Amino acid sequence: FKEILEFIDSHTKEKKNISSMNVLADHIRSSSFLISENIFPANEGRGYVLRRIIRRALLHTKKLNLPDNFFSKLVPIFISTMGSQFPELENNSSKIKKSIDDESEKFNETLSHGLELLEKNIKDIENKGLEKVIPGDIVFQLYDTYGFPVDLTSSMASDNNFKIDLENFNDLMSEQK
């Protein structure tokens, strides 16, 4: 991971966040191997796991204030370090990069819609002087409709001194299942 971490570090203007940098390095590895095995981001099964891995990495690029397309720029660096041992990486490099770029684009659209909804609800709650808790149905809507990870909602709520109603969210998830 040394080359990947050095590349990330050279592009971030933020205070060094080793945890986020490690997530990016690990997730480019996982994503690259999965895509080289013809597993693509999807809404179920292994594809869903890949989607979650990529989206988690994309959240960490945001934490580091890196550009939207940064994660896929790690593909050639990873392949240069592992391609000789795993030729399938080299053979599928354009497919790997394209899949990550496509998922990044989808997630950025999702993220912007979800952020609008979350910010609107935070303002509404503040304007009404209510307890600083994002209702479980909003957390569920963000997750179910926009693919907005609960940990992202929780993190953003925390940044605004809010909590989330995880109990109600879990009840709604159980109902849906």
Side-chain angles (χ1 to χ4, degrees):
F1 291 143
K2 183 180 177 201
E3 290 86 2
I4 296 170
L5 294 172
E6 287 173 353
F7 182 79
I8 296 166
D9 189 41
S10 72
H11 284 79
T12 186
K13 295 171 184 77
E14 294 300 302
K15 183 178 139 200
K16 205 172 211 173
N17 182 335
I18 299 298
S19 176
S20 288
M21 292 169 62
N22 286 337
V23 167
L24 293 179
D26 178 67
H27 287 23
I28 200 63
R29 176 185 61 173
S30 305
S31 300
S32 296
F33 277 118
L34 287 167
I35 295 166
S36 74
E37 295 292 327
N38 290 319
I39 298 167
F40 300 100
N43 290 330
E44 55 189 36
R46 297 179 299 176
Y48 181 71
V49 173
L50 175 59
R51 173 166 280 155
R52 292 292 307 216
I53 290 169
I54 293 171
R55 288 183 174 196
R56 183 167 186 258
L58 296 172
L59 292 174
H60 282 274
T61 63
K62 294 204 179 296
K63 283 185 178 183
L64 294 168
N65 284 330
L66 295 166
D68 289 343
N69 65 345
F70 184 82
F71 186 55
S72 69
K73 290 181 179 182
L74 300 177
V75 171
I77 298 163
F78 175 69
I79 291 174
S80 74
T81 62
M82 299 297 291
S84 62
Q85 293 106 336
F86 299 96
E88 66 272 17
L89 291 171
E90 192 74 48
N91 297 339
N92 293 298
S93 63
S94 61
K95 178 171 65 173
I96 294 167
K97 187 174 182 331
K98 181 176 179 352
S99 293
I100 290 172
D101 281 336
D102 290 349
E103 186 61 26
S104 297
E105 189 176 315
K106 287 178 193 170
F107 185 57
N108 284 326
E109 289 173 22
T110 295
L111 199 56
S112 67
H113 293 300
L115 285 172
E116 286 176 28
L117 178 63
L118 183 58
E119 288 169 1
K120 177 189 176 302
N121 278 279
I122 286 173
K123 283 181 184 166
D124 288 349
I125 291 167
E126 287 177 333
N127 289 339
K128 292 177 182 174
L130 300 172
E131 184 182 3
K132 291 187 166 195
V133 176
I134 307 294
D137 61 323
I138 299 300
V139 178
F140 179 78
Q141 181 183 9
L142 287 166
Y143 175 80
D144 190 53
T145 305
Y146 299 103
F148 217 72
V150 176
D151 55 334
L152 175 62
T153 304
S154 179
S155 174
M156 295 189 70
S158 178
D159 290 347
N160 288 282
N161 298 315
F162 273 67
K163 294 180 180 175
I164 63 170
D165 183 352
L166 201 52
E167 186 176 328
N168 183 242
F169 168 79
N170 289 330
D171 290 344
L172 292 167
M173 283 297 291
S174 294
E175 277 179 38
Q176 184 187 47
K177 288 179 183 177

